[in-house]
Amino acid sequence: METLERILGEHPFFEGLEPEYLKLLVGCASNVRFQAGAYLFREGEEASHFYLIRQGRVAVEIYAPQRPPIVVQTLEGGDILGWSWLIPPYHWRFDARVVEPARAIALDGKCLRSKCEENHDLGYALLKRFAHIVEQRLEATRMQLLDVYATHV
Amino acid sequence: MCPQAHRVEGVSRETQDTFSLTLEPCDGAEQPRFAPGQFSMLYVFGVGELPVSISGDPEQPGRLVYTVRSVGPATHALVSRRPGDSLGVRGPFGTAWPLEAGRGKDLLIVAGGIGLAPLRPAIYHVLRHRDDYVRLIVLYGARSPRDLLYRKELVSWARSPDTQVLTTVDYGGVSWRGRVGVVTTLFRHVRLHPDRTVALICGPEIMMRYVIAELERNRGVCASDIFLSMERNMKCAVGFCGHCQYGPHFICKDGPVFSYHQLRSLLGKHEL
């Protein structure tokens, strides 16, 4: 049987994390499932979790009035969703809609923040990992803005 | 150097602005064989001549297939040809994808937009000679779902053994159920073995630079195992006119396919 500790330990995001920190994280983790069309969260809501997607596909969207939402990116098995739990005021800045039925590990943001305050080494280890994700997403967004496949004549 | 008259046998619409033309020689003469990655000069009589990569099956050299995106007057004239119309063809010209170098290895194909067209003959070759290669990985990015080329073929290629085909679009509507994100985001979903991977890349130059950075910096693929197809304003196609000069190279004669090792010092140079 797969334990949460094993699932977290095998995920690339937590690669190299001390086993004692993994144990701390497990205390904040839970298994969740979402049906297609469901929203993991919406813009403005409290960012209470981040998600380690195990299966399925989730669209990160920006709501725009009087037009369809803009899909910024999709995330799937192996991806990390959400870092607003880490940055005050801890509110989501976008919507996350399930495109294909998804299974994920949800990590409670409040629980993690209090553990990070108690243990700064854990906080630093997590922050380094999130900084890497933020860098990747920023680079992808810049490339997206270049609109490289557009016709330039 | 003299264009050979060819008849348009078929025109098929790939996307809203991109068409594939199938040509056969008017006199029934045997065609020179082409290698995947090579291009021809297509002459629309009274309009002009332009370089177009061959996108068909190299095992069917008698039927030349070209995939053309209508972006200006000459390409618009080209895609407006109808079955029975005539065109002039010179070629094939240029260097080919190093499919021999990929034998016994994983072949990674990364394409962006219409860049899939010059890579399609390489994919046909690998699928025909499947035992010569280990894994075939195709990563394909397009602007939007309606800009994806060869959609049916992408699905059928993905069904081939030891073949992974991943597509993504930069802009997807809410009805699109596939991936949204730039082509480099697809690397998250493939496991590469850098010591046995040969990468073939074709797309806008900016995209190729990002892909190369990902391959070299994050995946450990060697510069000499990365190949890319370059595009410049080719006129004569045989290295005389100099229109397509790129540093010490003529794209038409020394390329269009180069190893990244050859171009490392030139790519991204603002003066070029």
Side-chain angles (χ1 to χ4, degrees), chain A residues 7-8 10-14 30-34 40-41 50-60 73-82 94-107 130 133 137, chain B residues 188-189:
Chain A
I7 294 167
L8 293 181
E10 286 176 354
H11 195 277
F13 185 71
F14 293 119
S30 58
N31 263 307
V32 287
R33 284 170 186 269
F34 298 93
L40 273 73
F41 50 80
F50 83 87
Y51 298 90
L52 194 156
I53 301 170
R54 301 183 63 198
Q55 209 174 49
R57 184 170 295 154
V58 178
V60 174
Q73 65 176 159
T74 53
L75 299 170
E76 52 196 274
D79 287 330
I80 298 289
L81 170 62
F94 46 80
D95 300 339
R97 178 178 53 87
V98 179
V99 179
E100 286 176 8
R103 284 196 306 147
I105 304 291
L107 285 119
F130 273 99
I133 298 278
R137 302 271 164 88
Chain B
R188 295 200 306 266
H189 309 296

Side-chain angles (χ1 to χ4, degrees), chain B residues 29-50:
Chain B
E30 198 173 323
Q31 290 289 302
R33 294 188 77 82
F34 72 91
Q38 288 192 300
F39 70 96
S40 303
M41 297 300 294
L42 301 187
Y43 189 11
V44 186
F45 301 119
V47 178
E49 195 181 43
L50 61 160

Side-chain angles (χ1 to χ4, degrees), chain B residues 105-157:
Chain B
K105 296 183 177 176
D106 292 345
L107 207 64
L108 168 68
I109 286 179
V110 188
I114 193 150
L116 185 58
L119 284 162
R120 189 168 68 162
I123 296 169
Y124 286 149
H125 175 90
V126 174
L127 293 175
R128 266 185 205 278
H129 303 88
R130 199 63 200 83
D131 294 342
D132 292 349
Y133 302 87
V134 185
R135 288 188 304 155
L136 171 64
I137 304 163
V138 179
L139 308 182
Y140 178 41
R143 192 168 191 243
S144 73
R146 63 183 187 171
D147 295 308
L148 286 165
L149 288 180
Y150 316 137
R151 288 177 78 146
K152 284 182 183 166
E153 283 185 292
L154 288 166
V155 172
S156 74
W157 295 339

Side-chain angles (χ1 to χ4, degrees), chain A residues 57 61 68-69 71-77 79 97 99-100 139-140 142-151 153, chain B residues 69 71 112-113 141-143 170-174 177-185 188-189 204 206-207 210 217:
Chain A
R57 184 170 295 154
E61 299 176 343
V71 181
V72 180
Q73 65 176 159
T74 53
L75 299 170
E76 52 196 274
D79 287 330
R97 178 178 53 87
V99 179
E100 286 176 8
E139 186 169 302
R142 283 175 175 158
M143 192 175 158
Q144 213 166 11
L145 286 172
L146 285 168
D147 198 9
V148 294
Y149 309 121
T151 311
V153 177
Chain B
R69 186 179 180 197
V71 291
R143 192 168 191 243
D170 283 8
Y171 308 101
V174 282
R177 295 178 59 84
R179 295 183 181 88
V180 177
V182 292
V183 71
T184 48
T185 61
R188 295 200 306 266
H189 309 296
I206 308 169
M207 172 225 121
Y210 276 93
R217 190 179 60 191

Side-chain angles (χ1 to χ4, degrees), chain B residues 190-211:
Chain B
V190 293
R191 184 162 293 181
L192 295 183
H193 304 284
D195 53 327
R196 61 160 216 227
T197 297
V198 170
L200 316 181
I201 314 168
C202 188
E205 209 167 301
I206 308 169
M207 172 225 121
M208 293 200 289
R209 274 169 39 206
Y210 276 93
V211 170

